[in-house]
Amino acid sequence: MLVRGAGAGGPSSPELVGRLRWVVLVLLFVFGALIVRLWQLQILRGDSYFQLTVQNVVKERYLPSIRGKILDRHGVPLAENRPAFNIYAVPRTFSPDLASELRHLLGLSDEEMAKVKERIAAGGKRAPKLPVIILEDQPRERAARVEQERFRLPDIEVHHEPYRYYPQGALAAHLVGYMSQMTPEELRRLAGSGYTGDELVGRYGLEAMWENYLRGKKGKERYAVDANGHRLDEATAAGLIEGERQTDPVAGYNLVLTLDVELQKIAERAVAPYPAAAVAVIDVETGRILALVSKPAFDPNVMTGHLTKAEEKFLEDDPRKPFIDKTVRAQYPPGSIYKFVTTLAALEDGVAQEDEKIDCKGSIVRSGTTFHCTAAHGPLDLSQALQHSCNVYFWTLSERVGLDRMAQVANEYGFGARTGLGLNGDSPGRVPTKTWYEQRTRFKIGYTINSATGQGDVEVTVLQMAMAYTALANGGTLFVPQVVDRVVRADGASVISYQPQVQRQIQIPPEHLAILKRGLWRVVNEPGGTAYPYATSDIVSITGKTGTAEVKAKRSKKEIQEIRGWHPSGTHAWFAGWAPSDHPEVAVVVLIEHGGTGGKVAGPVAKQILEGWWTKVRPHNLPPAPPPTLMNRVFGDLLRPITPAIQPPAPPTDDQEPDSEELEESAEPVPPEPEDEP
Amino acid sequence: MSLVVAILAVALIFGLRIYVRMARDDIGLPRQHIGMSRWRRFRASVDWVLVAILIAICALGLLNLYSAVHGTKHAGKFAQQVKFMLVGTGAFALATAIDYRALLRLAWLGLGLAVIALLIVDLVGRGAKGSERWVYVGAVGGQPSEIAKLAVILVLTKLIQDTSGGAKMSWKALVPRVVALVIPVLLIALQPDLGNATLLTLIMLTIGFLALRDLWPMVYTLFAMFLAIPILWETMHDYQKSRILAFLDPSADPNGTGWHTRQSIAAVGSGKILGKGFMHGTQNQFQFLPEHWTDFPFSVWAEEWGFVGSLLLLSMFAFLLVWILNVALRSRDHAGSLLCLGVAAMTFWHVVINVAMVLGMAPVVGVTLPFISYGGSSLVCFFVAMGLVSSVSLRRHGY
């Protein structure tokens, strides 16, 4: 029976009275359990839960530092910062729904979407609660759209932050470099040095080399949010966050270079017609780099965060290898510009005389191989041989001095060793010796002959050659090339100032140097010289040597992109020299990769650069004029002595038509006055 | 705040005065009170302890709700809750005034109405989160599952009363009645509202355990129910399954179903001993607990008032329960006692399930915390339930 009639019991509930004990026990037990649980949560673990709830509302965000600028010697910026919109997301809350929402909202491409996902994944591994940049340098419309739809996009934030900008575009791109996203391996390696992993780091050139000076120190912001990720107001945040709410970022140091942007522009304009080239212009007195061109280049503004896969592939497939710095990294056979080594070795050993004539019959035969000269020059003395770049003459000299002695002199001038610039993986080049050949196969006299004219296994970099010619021009001081003049703080205070550094003082008898210089002057300035009239200037006297380096046909017949004026089997055109001839101020080396003959192709480029330097760049770098005297102040312009900053150009010769640009420049300045001529 | 409490108190007293006038003839006072003033008779017969504890709990509830919705787009819920409380106070007065024995005669009718309402909800109702719990009559909406609880308590009381006291009921008559009691449970479970279905079952079982003479039939029934659990599991919705699974292992899916539990536990724990202070709970103020005014008010309370405050609130509920049991024991008839037992069971399970859920000891279900949670249906139902207790208490003396 389910229910039986109540036999006994009071008026109310006999069953209840009977089971009251159980009721009390259950009540005690259940409420006791709840209280024990409360005790456990609130008293035993209270502090950790309190921290947890603080973490719920208090978020941290890194404040990017302002990266140091890269400035030329006059303060013209090569790399600076501009404001940009960066979009951040928190990996933890970045759901697939949110991703598709964002994609739809901003119209992101597949590639951008892939990048976003990659960054979210990387950020999620590091610190899933900290916002990471998912899209940098976004257009204003996208930023506005995200701001408008914020309530639908939890934890997506737009920040207006400094972004790297290269106002000169591709100018001196290899030197300045570019920046790109840090890789996870780099972050592991640099963990603890203030990187968060989602920032751009210097990847190439000075940006990479001086990263630690340029980057500054990140700040940190702590702010409060509600459960939807919306920022709480300042007063609320102040009440919730203990301690510092914001650590200001520290700006990076600025680099002031020795580079002259104007000269750099002149040099890049000069090589503009050629598909691949390299130029180095060095201050002869200090070894400072004034211009450094490597062509083809890239636009660092594109490389820094905006490179699409297609563009990257295009650049990587270019047979001219745009990512290899042709001034310090690539090694080339120098050709005849290397002949100064042979000359000096022979003069020092006393096996050559300036007036000794050697008859060039157009070729010589050694151990069964015929070596051809550029022409049958007939009997030439040393400076004529330099002037005509007669191979036979230097082959003969090389046989007298030997390979090792030439290598010794070459090493003295910095060949076969790194220049010490330390940029873009500079190469040591190669100066072969007898031992070097013996280690590989065996030594043959032909190797000596090849080396004498900078062929065979001799390889140099453009900057090495520029430093060597600098040493020739200044009488034997081999400098360590210098490109950073000083490091300054953002407020302008100097941090480090670098002095020119001498690598080696070469003991070179003045008379030997004079012989060499006479020969090189004739190359440019006397009819019959290999650079005459290509590099002959009426504006500034140029001395130099041409080189036409043959390349080994080592390339496979793989499909090579056709480029006009550039073929992998063409000769390299070189010109190395300095100006002015008598009191050298700058040394220049021009290489036109696979460009043809040195005098005809590289000569005019060098001339254009040096003339540009003389007329447009040098005047700005002269010491300032003395302060005006009292007479000047009173009579002003009437009394001012006319001291032309530049040498007034001589009237153009008939056979050469100066550039229209140069005419404009030279038409303006002071009328020539004979008595003021220096 | 004090203003609200004052209004509430005035309303309560006003309401009580009305019902006293209405029910004057019905009140049987002990002989020694005859001849006393009406006011003194009134004071002596009303269960002031019950009223006081209810006022105290309601005050805490309003305080908590104010903190929970202040400054959000739900701020209007506070005024709404005050209105519900006024309505509830009226309902309390009415339930006190009407003789519960008269109400028992309408028990089956009440259950019938509740079942119809539940059927309407199941068939055409609308609700949030994929389950239907609301029914609308004009602009006034309500949750029939709350009414069903009251109806079931009344019916059970009547059933047990009818079968006790020597009167035997034939199997033919008994079985349909028991089955009729299971119908609302099934209908609520079909909504689907597993929490309230379980709750209703627990209420019935509790009444049974405390009031039935012979417990063995119930033990058999329970055993059968345990066997039915796997079948129930199969018929459950995915979200229900995932909630139960999330309860079993909250860390398995931190942002999914277990998230509410984790945030609730964190909120409670972060209150520490004395709490973060009124309106200073960050979990509450910055909406880390969705809809904390209905299902998680206790976490808001525990965060802002700490262990001390939580203990206070639990003690008040414990005292309320003890007092209802006290009324049950002092009731003048079996029916009154059973009625109080039913109300006590309903209150007990609501409090325990809700608080256990907040503390991560039970799965997340939509079970309210009496007088603290926001919501008209639940509030008014509890006021009516307490009114029944008050009614029993009022009539405890004499025949």
Side-chain angles (χ1 to χ4, degrees):
Chain A
M1 289 301 286
L2 186 66
V3 179
R4 231 182 281 143
S12 65
S13 179
E15 290 82 9
L16 177 62
V17 174
R19 290 164 197 160
L20 206 57
R21 193 182 331 139
W22 294 103
V23 172
V24 172
L25 271 179
V26 168
L27 267 180
L28 277 180
F29 176 77
V30 171
F31 275 82
L34 291 180
I35 287 165
V36 166
R37 175 68 167 169
L38 277 170
W39 175 278
Q40 180 196 25
L41 293 181
Q42 296 190 301
I43 293 178
L44 299 183
R45 302 187 196 156
D47 289 321
S48 66
Y49 282 123
F50 189 82
Q51 288 310 313
L52 200 70
T53 57
V54 169
Q55 281 168 25
N56 262 343
V57 288
V58 178
K59 303 267 172 182
E60 276 185 355
R61 188 174 83 86
Y62 286 102
L63 299 174
S65 57
I66 298 175
R67 195 175 172 86
K69 294 178 189 174
I70 299 179
L71 309 165
D72 93 329
R73 63 190 313 157
H74 299 295
V76 180
L78 286 156
E80 59 181 350
N81 306 289
R82 63 176 165 76
F85 294 103
N86 293 336
I87 300 178
Y88 285 75
V90 175
R92 195 174 163 164
T93 54
F94 197 79
S95 61
D97 284 348
L98 186 55
S100 60
E101 175 93 46
L102 200 65
R103 173 182 206 152
H104 182 73
L105 186 69
L106 303 181
L108 301 178
S109 67
D110 286 346
E111 199 178 327
E112 282 174 307
M113 212 55 216
K115 190 165 79 176
V116 167
K117 284 189 178 144
E118 197 178 295
R119 289 180 179 184
I120 286 290
K125 270 185 222 149
R126 276 195 316 272
K129 281 178 151 184
L130 283 183
V132 292
I133 294 187
I134 51 168
L135 292 164
E136 71 265 337
D137 193 22
Q138 292 298 302
R140 183 174 292 273
E141 307 86 71
R142 278 188 176 179
R145 220 167 283 169
V146 172
E147 279 297 330
Q148 273 170 13
E149 303 289 325
R150 274 208 58 181
F151 66 96
R152 284 204 293 147
L153 305 167
D155 283 344
I156 302 282
E157 294 195 351
V158 178
H159 291 289
H160 206 211
E161 289 168 343
Y163 196 78
R164 202 55 161 172
Y165 172 59
Y166 303 92
Q168 311 288 344
L171 192 81
H174 289 84
L175 180 66
V176 174
Y178 60 86
M179 301 177 70
S180 70
Q181 180 80 34
M182 195 171 202
T183 63
E185 298 87 71
E186 280 172 320
L187 182 65
R188 261 200 297 285
R189 191 155 41 80
L190 296 169
S193 44
Y195 287 101
T196 53
D198 63 338
E199 64 265 81
L200 300 173
V201 289
R203 181 65 65 207
Y204 198 96
L206 293 169
E207 289 274 38
M209 190 176 166
W210 291 80
E211 168 76 12
N212 283 344
Y213 287 82
L214 290 167
R215 70 186 172 109
K217 202 161 168 260
K218 284 187 175 187
K220 202 184 240 186
E221 187 195 14
R222 298 167 78 206
Y223 58 100
V225 292
D226 67 11
N228 301 321
H230 296 311
R231 252 174 207 258
L232 302 174
D233 59 81
E234 284 299 298
T236 319
L240 288 169
I241 301 166
E242 289 165 15
E244 284 285 310
R245 278 169 54 209
Q246 184 163 337
T247 321
D248 288 327
V250 181
Y253 294 139
N254 293 346
L255 291 188
V256 180
L257 304 187
T258 62
L259 204 76
D260 191 305
V261 160
E262 199 170 354
L263 185 61
Q264 181 79 21
K265 280 181 183 162
I266 290 167
E268 297 205 0
R269 217 178 294 137
V271 296
Y274 305 103
V279 176
V281 185
I282 311 292
D283 184 340
V284 161
E285 292 304 319
T286 57
R288 286 176 166 157
I289 295 170
L290 299 178
L292 205 59
V293 181
S294 175
K295 213 191 150 191
F298 42 79
D299 185 348
N301 286 318
V302 173
M303 298 301 298
T304 305
H306 293 285
L307 191 67
T308 62
K309 286 269 188 300
E311 284 169 319
E312 192 180 348
K313 184 160 168 30
F314 179 77
L315 284 170
E316 269 169 5
D317 285 353
D318 193 326
R320 299 171 295 171
K321 299 200 169 90
F323 288 118
I324 289 183
D325 191 331
K326 295 190 189 314
T327 55
V328 298
R329 177 72 180 160
Q331 305 184 140
Y332 298 94
S336 302
I337 54 170
Y338 192 69
K339 281 176 182 163
F340 82 90
V341 172
T342 318
T343 310
L344 290 177
L347 285 172
E348 271 176 48
D349 284 9
V351 295
Q353 304 298 323
E354 193 188 5
D355 49 4
E356 183 196 357
K357 295 211 171 190
I358 293 173
D359 192 10
C360 170
K361 294 195 171 65
S363 66
I364 55 167
V365 179
R366 291 292 181 278
S367 34
T369 312
T370 311
F371 294 85
H372 291 279
C373 191
T374 49
H377 294 103
L380 299 168
D381 65 13
L382 180 50
S383 64
Q384 280 172 328
L386 284 167
Q387 179 191 352
H388 293 282
S389 200
C390 172
N391 290 341
V392 169
Y393 196 100
F394 296 97
W395 288 335
T396 313
L397 290 188
S398 73
E399 284 176 309
R400 294 180 194 165
V401 292
L403 180 65
D404 286 353
R405 186 64 189 109
M406 287 194 300
Q408 213 177 336
V409 172
N411 288 338
E412 236 179 297
Y413 282 87
F415 297 112
R418 292 189 167 85
T419 56
L421 184 66
L423 190 76
N424 294 343
D426 52 349
S427 301
R430 190 199 300 134
V431 179
T433 57
K434 262 187 184 169
T435 331
W436 188 82
Y437 281 112
E438 276 158 4
Q439 273 168 0
R440 317 195 127 227
T441 49
R442 62 189 187 84
F443 174 72
K444 289 189 281 190
I445 188 67
Y447 294 142
T448 310
I449 288 172
N450 275 337
S451 283
T453 52
Q455 294 284 170
D457 292 297
V458 180
E459 287 195 343
V460 301
T461 69
V462 171
L463 189 63
Q464 273 179 339
M465 192 52 82
M467 296 324 286
Y469 270 77
T470 299
L472 292 179
N474 65 25
T477 310
L478 184 70
F479 285 102
V480 176
Q482 181 192 349
V483 73
V484 176
D485 179 52
R486 58 189 189 275
V487 178
V488 297
R489 273 214 310 258
D491 58 14
S494 184
V495 179
I496 317 169
S497 199
Y498 294 95
Q499 294 306 310
Q501 203 184 333
V502 177
Q503 173 117 325
R504 194 178 299 121
Q505 195 66 49
I506 304 163
Q507 298 307 319
I508 165 172
E511 60 274 19
H512 292 172
L513 198 58
I515 294 168
L516 185 71
K517 284 187 170 180
R518 268 198 291 281
L520 297 191
W521 185 84
R522 293 173 80 167
V523 169
V524 181
N525 298 299
E526 273 195 8
T530 50
Y532 185 90
Y534 308 117
T536 318
S537 171
D538 305 314
I539 297 169
V540 58
S541 167
I542 298 169
T543 296
K545 182 76 192 80
T546 63
T548 306
E550 286 168 15
V551 293
K552 291 179 187 168
K554 57 185 173 185
R555 276 166 205 272
S556 59
K557 285 283 171 213
K558 239 178 27 180
E559 253 183 76
I560 288 169
Q561 201 183 315
E562 278 296 320
I563 295 170
R564 240 163 63 87
W566 186 92
H567 192 272
S569 62
T571 55
H572 296 310
W574 285 92
F575 184 90
W578 58 78
S581 295
D582 39 359
H583 297 292
E585 291 179 26
V586 293
V588 64
V589 171
V590 174
L591 163 74
I592 309 294
E593 199 182 85
H594 304 301
T597 45
K600 202 171 172 182
V601 177
V605 172
K607 173 187 165 187
Q608 201 179 326
I609 294 168
L610 289 172
E611 284 182 349
W613 164 75
W614 183 256
T615 55
K616 293 174 195 160
V617 179
R618 185 174 177 270
H620 300 304
N621 295 326
L622 288 179
T629 60
L630 181 66
M631 292 291 274
N632 278 120
R633 252 178 260 163
V634 174
F635 296 101
D637 285 341
L638 288 174
L639 270 182
R640 180 171 293 165
I642 298 159
T643 46
I646 54 167
Q647 279 188 350
T653 49
D654 297 339
D655 56 339
Q656 256 188 309
E657 202 146 276
D659 286 358
S660 58
E661 203 177 272
E662 275 168 17
L663 263 180
E664 273 173 29
E665 279 289 323
S666 51
E668 272 304 313
V670 278
E673 283 198 24
E675 58 267 41
D676 284 322
E677 196 100 41
Chain B
M1 192 50 51
S2 54
L3 185 73
V4 173
V5 176
I7 291 170
L8 213 67
V10 167
L12 198 66
I13 290 164
F14 187 66
L16 285 173
R17 282 185 69 90
I18 294 172
Y19 98 71
V20 165
R21 202 171 301 136
M22 277 167 56
R24 194 173 53 218
D25 303 332
D26 199 33
I27 302 170
L29 286 173
R31 198 156 289 276
Q32 64 266 31
H33 289 286
I34 293 171
M36 295 169 75
S37 75
R38 196 191 283 167
W39 173 241
R40 288 190 64 181
R41 275 192 300 167
F42 168 74
R43 255 192 353 192
S45 47
V46 168
D47 193 339
W48 286 112
V49 177
L50 183 68
V51 171
I53 188 73
L54 288 182
I55 289 177
I57 293 177
C58 284
L60 292 193
L62 280 178
L63 198 70
N64 199 45
L65 183 71
Y66 185 77
S67 175
V69 298
H70 173 76
T72 70
K73 60 182 173 184
H74 300 284
K77 287 196 159 60
F78 180 75
Q80 194 65 35
Q81 181 83 339
V82 171
K83 279 182 211 160
F84 288 147
M85 281 198 177
L86 292 176
V87 172
T89 309
F92 177 87
L94 206 66
T96 311
I98 300 170
D99 192 331
Y100 60 91
R101 285 162 294 190
L103 276 178
L104 280 179
R105 270 172 242 137
L106 301 172
W108 286 103
L109 179 66
L111 186 67
L113 288 175
V115 167
I116 290 168
L118 283 171
L119 272 172
I120 293 172
V121 169
D122 279 5
L123 296 175
V124 296
R126 45 189 156 150
K129 294 186 216 159
S131 73
E132 292 132 8
R133 296 174 187 180
W134 288 75
V135 66
Y136 286 84
V137 180
V140 181
Q143 284 176 289
S145 60
E146 305 287 341
I147 303 163
K149 285 174 205 159
L150 276 180
V152 163
I153 289 170
L154 285 171
V155 166
L156 258 178
T157 304
K158 183 163 173 52
L159 196 63
I160 294 173
Q161 189 201 26
D162 289 351
T163 54
S164 63
K168 282 197 179 181
M169 197 176 266
S170 68
W171 276 105
K172 254 184 174 175
L174 189 61
V175 169
R177 285 173 166 78
V178 174
V179 169
L181 280 173
V182 179
I183 289 174
V185 178
L186 289 177
L187 287 176
I188 292 172
L190 279 174
Q191 281 183 358
D193 183 352
L194 216 60
N196 279 311
T198 313
L199 199 90
L200 196 52
T201 314
L202 285 171
I203 291 170
M204 292 197 287
L205 288 175
T206 311
I207 296 173
F209 272 115
L210 291 180
L212 286 185
R213 200 97 191 255
D214 185 359
L215 292 180
W216 285 110
M218 279 199 62
V219 174
Y220 301 146
T221 319
L222 266 187
F223 186 67
M225 274 170 61
F226 274 115
L227 289 181
I229 283 177
I231 302 160
L232 270 175
W233 178 258
E234 283 308 307
T235 57
M236 265 191 242
H237 282 236
D238 282 344
Y239 86 90
Q240 292 173 322
K241 285 184 190 176
S242 70
R243 274 184 185 180
I244 290 172
L245 288 176
F247 161 67
L248 295 174
D249 183 10
S251 56
D253 179 17
N255 275 340
T257 337
W259 194 80
H260 293 166
T261 307
R262 277 163 40 96
Q263 292 296 342
S264 168
I265 289 176
V268 172
S270 68
K272 298 202 263 187
I273 297 177
L274 291 173
K276 294 179 182 170
F278 181 54
M279 311 253 302
H280 281 91
T282 54
Q283 294 285 96
N284 159 36
Q285 301 294 326
F286 309 127
Q287 290 115 51
F288 283 91
L289 289 168
E291 311 213 355
H292 49 263
W293 46 88
T294 56
D295 290 351
F296 290 90
F298 189 77
S299 87
V300 175
W301 180 261
E303 185 186 15
E304 297 191 346
W305 300 93
F307 184 66
V308 172
S310 311
L311 223 52
L312 175 73
L313 190 57
L314 283 184
S315 316
M316 285 164 86
F317 278 118
F319 183 80
L320 178 66
L321 288 172
V322 168
W323 192 256
I324 297 173
L325 284 175
N326 184 33
V327 173
L329 287 173
R330 287 186 298 148
S331 162
R332 75 176 179 188
D333 56 9
H334 197 192
S337 177
L338 287 171
L339 212 51
C340 289
L341 268 185
V343 173
M346 176 168 96
T347 313
F348 174 75
W349 287 116
H350 263 274
V351 170
V352 167
I353 290 179
N354 184 280
V355 173
M357 167 184 96
V358 165
L359 300 184
M361 302 163 80
V364 176
V365 287
V367 171
T368 55
L369 188 59
F371 303 105
I372 308 288
S373 286
Y374 169 80
S377 308
S378 166
L379 197 65
V380 173
C381 268
F382 272 104
F383 269 114
V384 170
M386 294 304 152
L388 292 177
V389 175
S390 164
S391 175
V392 172
S393 184
L394 194 76
R395 292 169 181 82
R396 67 184 178 269
H397 305 291
Y399 285 80

